[in-house]
Amino acid sequence: MKVDAVDAKIVRFFTDSPRASVLEASRVLKIARATVQSRLDRMIGAGVIGSWVPQPDPACFGYPVVAFCSLTINQDLGHDAVVAALARIPELIEIHTVSGSSDLMARIAARSNPDLQRVLDAMIATKTILRSSSVIVLNTHFQGRTLPLLEAAAETAV
């Protein structure tokens, strides 16, 4: 779907004020309320806006350690079975199939470094992972940064 400057302004507004109403967005952006609503509906329908749910920060409720882990899987089981087994571990907050020397990339939240070891052990205990390699995040500079990309796409749509 092509997005334009109006779409980008609407998404920026709701990113900055996620609890605002469509009417408030209309007043602040000086765009008709029906236009704001129809643009939101169109972007939601096309998947540009994928969610309106809160994004809890694991560090704020006791999981300050973040690690990325490259996983080599048991190929005989297939990706679906491996992912189903790993999905039972709540500390695995993202899993992606990737190209390269590993099969999956996971993002893990843990309470401490020893807790991270427990999570890694739990992954191996599923018997779906053959090897893993982890890196611990020392500092996060930004994440989930899609708004600048959407705004750049809107600029090129002109």
Side-chain angles (χ1 to χ4, degrees):
M1 172 187 152
K2 291 206 183 247
V3 293
D4 62 19
V6 174
D7 295 325
K9 284 180 186 178
I10 291 168
V11 173
R12 165 70 69 186
F13 176 82
F14 283 107
T15 298
D16 294 342
S17 305
R19 297 180 69 178
S21 68
V22 171
L23 181 58
E24 186 177 349
S26 169
R27 288 180 184 151
V28 170
L29 298 174
K30 297 180 174 42
I31 300 170
R33 189 205 60 77
T35 301
V36 173
Q37 187 64 61
S38 68
R39 296 285 186 119
L40 285 171
D41 292 343
R42 181 175 56 97
M43 288 187 284
I44 290 167
V48 172
I49 298 173
S51 177
W52 288 93
V53 300
Q55 295 295 317
D57 181 351
C60 292
F61 56 91
Y63 293 83
V65 176
V66 176
F68 289 92
C69 190
S70 299
L71 305 171
T72 302
I73 68 170
N74 180 342
Q75 294 289 330
D76 293 340
L77 299 174
H79 281 79
D80 292 342
V82 172
V83 170
L86 295 176
R88 295 185 194 102
I89 302 170
E91 293 86 358
L92 293 175
I93 53 179
E94 288 182 31
I95 298 179
H96 306 274
T97 298
V98 296
S99 63
S101 60
S102 62
D103 300 306
L104 299 174
M105 181 67 67
R107 184 165 63 121
I108 302 167
R111 293 184 182 277
S112 62
N113 287 354
D115 189 48
L116 175 60
Q117 181 63 61
R118 179 194 56 79
V119 175
L120 296 172
D121 291 344
M123 291 188 322
I124 297 300
T126 66
K127 306 285 191 222
T128 63
I129 304 300
L130 300 177
R131 266 183 316 283
S132 69
S133 174
S134 302
V135 293
I136 296 174
V137 173
L138 300 176
N139 190 15
T140 299
H141 300 281
F142 55 79
Q143 65 183 16
R145 187 174 175 256
T146 56
L147 185 57
L149 182 61
L150 179 103
E151 290 171 336
E155 288 175 14
T156 62
V158 177

